[in-house]
Amino acid sequence: ETGVTQSPTHLIKTRGQQVTLRCSSQSGHNTVSWYQQALGQGPQFIFQYYREEENGRGNFPPRFSGLQFPNYSSELNVNALELDDSALYLCASSQAGQGEYEQYFGPGTRLTVT
Amino acid sequence: AQSVAQPEDQVNVAEGNPLTVKCTYSVSGNPYLFWYVQYPNRGLQFLLKYITGDNLVKGSYGFEAEFNKSQTSFHLKKPSALVSDSALYFCAVSAHSNTGKLIFGQGTTLQVKP
């Protein structure tokens, strides 16, 4: 198991609502990335945070937003939920600038939008 | 545009036999390549990476992968499969940018039968 934790484990929301997912990075890691994994698909990159700023974004609309805190933990916020937002949301942490490159994933948050 | 292809949805192998899970990639510049494994209702676990150096890289749980630049492939291998290796395997490539964005393949389900 990695040291990356995510909460909550599962979440059920109604279309149009807003949701906040949380991630604590592995000790010593300063970078957090978020991915969306739809059923039967590979993870899709949403965005990455480094030093509390967004450091790259995938093809996701602005209603997907995030934050990174001084302790390197992070939040993913999704506004105006749509049915297609139902997926496993994965957080991954890494240490930029150390030449390691691999990302370590948390267990994910399963979001169901009804 | 960068992409990863895993041509097999499922690979079936008998316990004790060697296994290969295929991956090809398309990326501008030198690729950073990764293999991850996902067990049911779990996040992704890092197995191994190729950044530079020897074309044969060794990783966790006895897995290894061979980087072939001319064929743009990075196939995952194991000399002797275990039933416990049964899981979903993802190949990923980094776009070699500051974001460290990982681009994943669709995944290959490995089924090891006793």
Side-chain angles (χ1 to χ4, degrees):
Chain A
E1 297 290 337
T2 70
V4 181
T5 61
Q6 293 185 244
S7 62
T9 306
H10 296 90
L11 204 51
I12 300 175
K13 289 287 190 178
T14 302
R15 189 172 50 184
Q17 287 187 316
Q18 178 266 343
V19 69
T20 298
L21 310 182
R22 295 178 175 83
C23 170
S24 291
S25 58
Q26 185 164 306
S27 177
H29 285 182
N30 58 12
T31 303
V32 174
S33 303
W34 286 92
Y35 293 82
Q36 180 196 67
Q37 185 180 15
L39 202 60
Q41 305 288 319
Q44 299 288 317
F45 176 75
I46 303 174
F47 44 55
Q48 185 183 80
Y49 277 82
Y50 172 64
R51 291 184 175 177
E52 302 178 49
E53 292 192 358
E54 189 178 289
N55 183 42
R57 189 179 184 92
N59 293 327
F60 282 82
R63 60 189 184 84
F64 285 78
S65 63
L67 285 172
Q68 186 182 30
F69 301 99
N71 66 354
Y72 304 127
S73 65
S74 177
E75 287 183 354
L76 164 65
N77 298 290
V78 187
N79 293 323
L81 283 166
E82 301 178 359
L83 297 179
D84 284 348
D85 295 333
S86 295
L88 180 67
Y89 288 85
L90 296 165
C91 162
S93 74
S94 55
Q95 179 63 10
Q98 297 298 312
E100 292 186 346
Y101 305 105
E102 62 264 35
Q103 298 179 22
Y104 292 91
F105 285 79
T109 294
R110 173 74 61 186
L111 173 64
T112 302
V113 182
T114 62
Chain B
Q2 292 84 15
S3 64
V4 174
Q6 294 180 242
E8 302 152 317
D9 289 336
Q10 182 158 324
V11 169
N12 297 309
V13 65
E15 188 175 31
N17 283 0
L19 70 87
T20 299
V21 183
K22 295 179 180 177
C23 171
T24 59
Y25 66 90
S26 172
V27 66
S28 55
N30 294 321
Y32 292 176
L33 294 158
F34 305 84
W35 276 100
Y36 285 85
V37 60
Q38 187 175 36
Y39 294 97
N41 301 313
R42 304 283 291 277
L44 277 68
Q45 289 180 231
F46 169 75
L47 280 180
L48 50 79
K49 67 183 178 189
Y50 172 82
I51 303 300
T52 188
D54 289 342
N55 290 341
L56 185 66
V57 293
K58 295 187 182 297
S60 306
Y61 312 118
F63 285 94
E64 58 190 26
E66 187 168 12
F67 170 64
N68 188 317
K69 188 173 184 177
S70 62
Q71 296 186 3
T72 62
S73 66
F74 189 57
H75 300 330
L76 181 70
K77 300 181 180 184
K78 187 174 183 181
S80 179
L82 299 173
V83 172
S84 58
D85 292 330
S86 299
L88 182 58
Y89 289 80
F90 288 99
C91 180
V93 64
S94 172
H96 198 336
S97 66
N98 288 337
T99 66
K101 167 185 175 180
L102 288 176
I103 298 161
F104 285 87
Q106 290 288 88
T108 298
T109 298
L110 174 65
Q111 195 75 263
V112 181
K113 299 190 176 179

